[in-house]
Amino acid sequence: MIIGNHRSTLDFSVGALVAAHAQSIGCGRMMPLMKDVLKWVPAVGWICYLSGALFLRRKWETDKAKIIAKVNEMVIHYPRPFWLGLYPEGTRFSEKKRDDAHKFAKTANAEGKYPYKIPILNNTLLPRPKGFIFFAQHERLRMCLDDLLDFTIGETGGNLSLKQFIAGGFRTKSFHIYRRDMNIPNCQRTRLNW
């Protein structure tokens, strides 16, 4: 399973390029989770749809059945190895979204809403962990996933745009891949330290 920060529209493309060419990491097929509206984007949406991407509405009640069906399909039919790619932040980074996340964290911390303090993050958004935890703890899927690969992308000159990507005019400042064990604790408090 791969997770990554979501700074721009096309950071997934950088991850997919690494997946396609990094034999030492051991990637086969890449299966991304994407916002449902992206399937209607010409070329990109169609390619992702035809390659088996899972398009989600980001509403757990409506997405759960699609997620379970996709997990069963992957476990039974996908050749090994395969990658499951998602962005725990759930959306692209923007200053407004960061400010909203700061406000949420400060309010939740002041009200003691959770048994832990929510961090104030400046360069990423707060993760939306429900889907990630579901995938990471799904028993059948865990048998197929060896590692968690944590991608962190830093770009120079702002966030990557489609025009820059096509022209090849962007420069990645830094690209880090951390390989982590998939033994994610079931206990919420223990999971925070994992």
Side-chain angles (χ1 to χ4, degrees):
M1 179 180 331
I2 64 169
I3 60 172
N5 61 323
H6 200 7
R7 297 289 301 183
S8 71
T9 305
L10 295 171
D11 2 312
F12 178 76
S13 301
V14 176
L17 288 171
V18 170
H21 299 288
Q23 297 302 320
S24 62
I25 297 174
C27 179
R29 182 173 180 174
M30 173 83 139
M31 204 291 293
L33 285 91
M34 306 175 83
K35 273 195 297 191
D36 190 65
V37 297
L38 294 175
K39 69 182 166 193
W40 305 112
V41 175
V44 174
W46 304 335
I47 290 167
C48 291
Y49 176 80
L50 293 172
S51 67
L54 177 56
F55 292 95
L56 303 172
R57 294 184 186 271
R58 298 192 300 182
K59 291 186 175 133
W60 185 247
E61 300 77 30
T62 57
D63 289 336
K64 187 174 180 181
K66 286 170 55 176
I67 290 170
I68 290 170
K70 183 56 102 172
V71 165
N72 288 330
E73 177 187 337
M74 290 180 342
V75 168
I76 295 167
H77 299 292
Y78 278 30
R80 308 296 191 274
F82 64 80
W83 281 13
L84 172 65
L86 66 135
Y87 294 113
E89 295 167 277
T91 189
R92 289 186 314 271
F93 181 89
S94 73
E95 288 184 18
K96 182 191 178 320
K97 291 173 187 172
R98 181 201 54 208
D99 293 344
D100 290 346
H102 284 185
K103 183 178 175 185
F104 171 81
K106 288 175 184 173
T107 302
N109 289 341
E111 294 173 356
K113 192 172 180 178
Y114 299 99
Y116 49 85
K117 291 287 185 190
I118 296 176
I120 306 294
L121 305 171
N122 291 316
N123 298 309
T124 63
L125 301 175
L126 290 169
R128 300 169 65 147
K130 189 180 286 186
F132 167 75
I133 291 169
F134 175 83
F135 282 113
Q137 293 181 343
H138 190 282
E139 218 172 293
R140 291 183 72 200
L141 186 59
R142 287 279 297 270
M143 292 186 298
C144 303
L145 299 174
D146 301 321
D147 297 307
L148 173 68
L149 299 177
D150 182 353
F151 280 30
T152 304
I153 302 168
E155 296 153 3
T156 353
N159 294 330
L160 178 61
S161 71
L162 180 59
K163 184 177 178 181
Q164 289 173 314
F165 185 76
I166 291 170
F170 72 95
R171 298 290 178 259
T172 299
K173 183 177 180 181
S174 61
F175 190 85
H176 301 277
I177 302 174
Y178 300 97
R179 180 178 263 165
R180 302 180 195 284
D181 189 335
M182 277 297 294
N183 291 323
I184 299 169
N186 288 326
C187 169
Q188 184 180 35
R189 194 172 290 281
T190 311
R191 195 167 45 237
L192 290 170
N193 295 324
W194 172 85

